[in-house]
Amino acid sequence: MAERRMMSKQFVNNASFMKMSDSAKLLYFYLNVNADDDGIVEAYAYSQMLNTPEDDVKVLCQKEFIVFLNDDWLAFLPHWLINQQLRADRYKPSIHRNTLLNKYPDSISKLKKISLEQFNKSIQQEELKPEVYKKIFGIPTDNQLETQVRSGQKSQGQESLEKGSVDELRSGQIKRSELQKTITASFLDPKSKEIIMDRVDNFSEEEQIQIFKILSQSKSSIERKTGVMIRGSEYESLTHQMLEIVLEELVKKVKSREKVNMFAYLNKSFTEYWNSLVKTIHNERNLNFFQN
């Protein structure tokens, strides 16, 4: 997320904004400064920090300066692009972008446009609804394509399918990447997913998918062998460190053109890490036993 944010004179000098109380304006400024690159921000903490009156929050909502996405005050700023100029090379889609679009599909017009490839690479907290996906990208998801093929429905996509197989369509420019599905289904926390995606950008999509799968499969394998359930949420910081070290070392090996079996290296490294966590868990249990 950028360290600097802007406010347009066109926006702050607008009568609708100027007529608000100073405390409402202050909250908005704080939300604007702390929002992610799609103008989405956790508003509750800042309203509490500033001791913003509830009526001011209601005014911001009534004037549609903020829109709440859930009961925890995850908020979207609809005027985001009026205030911000986002460089394409620094822009990172919000992890809540799909949450916004699933609830308010028309808000796509208030977001920075991204390609299908960027969308597939972005880490999201929830899957985009099939009907929203089709509305935005103009094509159905894989599941919708398969349903159309089975049911014999005719559409522009179906006409293309009649000229080739479903697999051929998916391998073209309009294919719906499996990467997003793999990332969403992963047990990892958002930070871990971000670390992986930041460090494997030069790998193919198939290789990126495989990295997530190896990480998950190696964990499951160790859990089955040892009978110990590894709760990732309890060891997030250790996992972050491991991913950074392992993936940076892999990138170095690849860039130096060292002959390395990428998947064997990852499986060995991830397995060693999960084994070390199992030992840590055993030690913690033994310590708690003696203390009790």
Side-chain angles (χ1 to χ4, degrees):
M1 189 174 75
E3 290 296 317
R4 296 182 181 182
R5 296 300 189 197
M6 297 177 288
M7 292 293 292
S8 167
K9 289 193 294 183
Q10 173 191 352
F11 178 78
V12 298
N13 290 337
N14 183 279
S16 184
F17 186 81
M18 294 181 71
K19 287 179 180 179
M20 292 195 305
S21 67
D22 289 343
S23 54
K25 293 175 188 173
L26 181 61
L27 175 60
Y28 186 87
F29 271 96
Y30 264 85
L31 297 182
N32 184 80
V33 168
N34 290 283
D36 61 29
D37 287 355
D38 279 317
I40 300 174
V41 60
E42 299 276 359
Y44 184 77
Y46 299 106
S47 70
Q48 294 299 298
M49 179 183 73
L50 299 171
N51 200 23
T52 307
E54 187 175 337
D55 286 345
D56 286 345
V57 178
K58 290 179 180 178
V59 169
L60 285 168
C61 290
Q62 289 168 359
K63 290 177 176 282
E64 296 186 348
F65 290 138
I66 62 173
V67 175
F68 286 125
L69 306 182
N70 60 26
D71 293 336
D72 293 326
W73 288 29
L74 180 68
F76 169 59
L77 310 180
H79 298 85
W80 180 248
L81 292 183
I82 293 177
N83 290 312
Q84 310 303 324
Q85 293 179 359
L86 304 169
R87 279 179 49 173
D89 61 330
R90 294 184 178 178
Y91 166 77
K92 280 192 174 182
S94 168
I95 63 173
H96 302 295
R97 187 179 173 105
N98 285 0
T99 304
L100 168 65
L101 293 173
N102 281 337
K103 190 163 186 177
Y104 303 108
D106 290 340
S107 63
I108 185 66
S109 63
K110 300 181 184 297
L111 297 174
K112 186 175 179 66
K113 291 182 180 179
I114 61 174
S115 65
L116 181 58
E117 182 181 3
Q118 282 179 293
F119 168 78
N120 288 330
K121 286 185 176 181
S122 68
I123 298 168
Q124 294 295 315
Q125 291 288 64
E126 63 181 67
E127 190 80 13
L128 198 62
K129 293 178 181 178
E131 60 271 22
V132 179
Y133 180 91
K134 183 176 181 180
K135 180 176 182 179
I136 293 173
F137 295 108
I139 56 173
T141 63
D142 285 351
N143 291 336
Q144 288 175 311
L145 285 171
E146 289 170 354
T147 300
Q148 289 176 1
V149 171
R150 288 195 299 269
S151 64
Q153 294 174 9
K154 294 289 183 177
S155 67
Q156 189 174 10
Q158 176 64 28
E159 291 173 2
S160 298
L161 288 173
E162 289 172 353
K163 298 176 183 177
S165 69
V166 175
D167 288 338
E168 288 172 340
L169 180 60
R170 286 178 182 165
S171 67
Q173 292 181 345
I174 68 171
K175 92 171 181 181
R176 164 76 159 131
S177 172
E178 236 183 89
L179 181 58
Q180 178 63 34
K181 295 178 183 177
T182 304
I183 294 172
T184 302
S186 173
F187 66 90
L188 296 168
D189 65 289
K191 175 65 176 177
S192 294
K193 295 176 184 179
E194 184 179 338
I195 289 171
I196 294 176
M197 294 309 299
D198 281 349
R199 284 160 179 75
V200 299
D201 194 46
N202 293 326
F203 296 143
S204 71
E205 183 176 290
E206 288 74 16
E207 289 172 332
Q208 293 175 22
I209 291 172
Q210 204 58 30
I211 289 172
F212 277 94
K213 288 184 177 179
I214 291 173
L215 186 58
S216 179
Q217 290 168 358
S218 61
K219 177 175 178 288
S220 298
S221 176
I222 292 299
E223 288 176 329
R224 286 195 300 271
K225 288 179 181 178
T226 63
V228 176
M229 180 62 69
I230 303 170
R231 294 182 176 83
S233 59
E234 297 177 8
Y235 303 96
E236 286 181 357
S237 60
L238 288 175
T239 302
H240 297 164
Q241 294 173 23
M242 179 275 293
L243 288 172
E244 288 175 346
I245 293 171
V246 170
L247 294 175
E248 284 178 4
E249 184 63 26
L250 174 62
V251 171
K252 286 180 183 178
K253 289 177 181 292
V254 172
K255 286 184 176 180
S256 66
R257 298 187 178 181
E258 178 182 339
K259 289 185 178 181
V260 57
N261 184 321
M262 171 177 156
F263 300 131
Y265 164 77
L266 289 174
N267 187 57
K268 180 176 182 293
S269 300
F270 293 157
T271 299
E272 289 176 351
Y273 171 68
W274 299 127
N275 263 321
S276 70
L277 277 192
V278 168
K279 292 178 182 178
T280 300
I281 293 169
H282 276 307
N283 291 337
E284 290 174 349
R285 287 178 179 175
N286 290 336
L287 180 60
N288 290 335
F289 175 80
F290 287 114
Q291 287 179 340
N292 293 331

